[in-house]
Amino acid sequence: MNEQIDHAIKGVRGYWFVDGFTEIATGGLFVVLALAALLSGSSAPSTLPAWFLSAAGVISLVKLIGILAAVLLLWWLKDHFTYPRTGFVKGTRLSGSQILTILRNVIFFLLLPIVGLLAASLLVASVGPVVATMPVWFPVGLGLVWAVLFVLAGEWLGLQRFRLIGIMSLLAGAAVGLWQLAIGLPVFPAKMPLEISQPVVLESIHRVLTSLSFLVLFTGLVLIVSGVLTFLHYWKENPTPYGEQV
Amino acid sequence: MSTAVQNIISLDRVIHEPARLILMALLSSVASADFLFLLKQSELTKGNLSVQLSRLEEAGYIEIEKTFRGKIPHTEYRLTKKGQLAFEQYRKSLGSLFK
C-alpha cells in the first residue's frame, strides 16, 4: 500500500511537467544560450580578459532575460491552458534547511570531483597542457553530470522520459568530446613549450566554449522535442477546458 | 495483545478509506490544490469527491480556502498540521504492519 501511495505522490511531483511546457521553455532557453555563446565565441577579441568579459557578459545577460521570459511565459501558459484542463496545484515551498542540504549535496557531488580531477591534473602537468585537454573532457563530464541529474530527477518525479533525455545528454557529451578528439586536440596533458602556452590556453577556452555550446544546443533540442511530444499527448487527452466539456 | 494487532486496530479509519487515503496522499505532496486537480488525479466522481473532502474537513485534516483567480471563484484545499501528522502516523503504522 505504501508503494501505491508513493506512486501517487510521485505523480503529483511530476505534475509541473505534465503538459511539456517546462521542457519546451527550458529547451528553448538552452538553444538561445548556446547560440549566444557560439556567436560571442566567433567574434573573439584579441586578449583573453577582454574576450572572457565580453562572452561572460553576453551569456549572463541572455541567461537573465531568458530565465525571466521563460518563467513569465510558463506562468501564462499554465494559467490559460493547463489549470483549466487538469487543475491548479501549488507546490510546497522548500525550507531554509532543505535548500542548504540541496546546495551542500550539489557542491559535494558535482564540484568536488571536478576540482579534485583538476587538482590531480595540475600535480602532473602545468596549467596550459591541462587546459588544452579540456575541450575533450569538459563536454563528456558535463554530459555525464546532466545524465545523472536527469535520471535522478526522473526517478524522483516518476517521469520515465527523463531517463531517455539523460542517456541522450550522455551520448551527446561523448560525441562532442570525440569530435574535439577527432580534430586533433589532446586527451591527456602533455608537455609543451612555455612560449606557446598562452595562445593554447586562449584557443582551448574558445574550444571548450564551442564544444559546450554544441552540447547545450543538442540537449535543448532534445528537451524541445520531448516537450512537444508530451504537449501533443496532453492535448489529445485534454482537448478542452474542464468547464467547457459536455 | 501483540504489536501487530495493536497497529491494525490503531489505524486511522478516517484516512484508511481508499478514496480519502488517495486524497490525503495527493495533498501531502503539495501546498494546496483545487477541486479539479483532485478530481482528475483521484478519478473519483464529483459527488464522491465532495463527500470525502467534507469528511476530511470535519476531521480537521484539511482546510478549504476560497479565493479568486482573476474574476473566477477558486477553492483550494490543503492539509492542516493535524492532517499532516495523522497521515505520517498512518504511513508509519501501515509500514510496521508489513515488516
Side-chain angles (χ1 to χ4, degrees), chain A residues 83-87 240-246, chain B residues 35-36 39-40 44 46:
Chain A
Y83 298 152
R85 282 168 171 78
T86 47
T240 50
Y242 188 74
E244 295 169 20
Q245 286 172 17
V246 283
Chain B
F35 189 85
L36 178 56
L39 188 72
K40 289 275 180 177
L44 298 172
K46 270 185 181 179

Side-chain angles (χ1 to χ4, degrees), chain A residues 1-2 5-6 8-9 12 15 79 83-92 238 242 245, chain B residues 22 25-26 28-34 36-37 39-40 46 69 74 76 87 91 94-95:
Chain A
M1 183 85 91
N2 259 341
I5 296 173
D6 281 334
I9 291 173
V12 177
Y15 185 63
D79 219 32
Y83 298 152
R85 282 168 171 78
T86 47
F88 170 80
V89 62
K90 203 181 279 174
T92 45
N238 307 281
Y242 188 74
Q245 286 172 17
Chain B
I22 195 69
L26 292 171
S28 72
S29 52
V30 296
S32 64
D34 69 1
L36 178 56
F37 176 81
L39 188 72
K40 289 275 180 177
K46 270 185 181 179
R69 288 179 63 77
H74 190 250
E76 284 178 35
F87 186 61
R91 291 201 69 175
L94 199 63

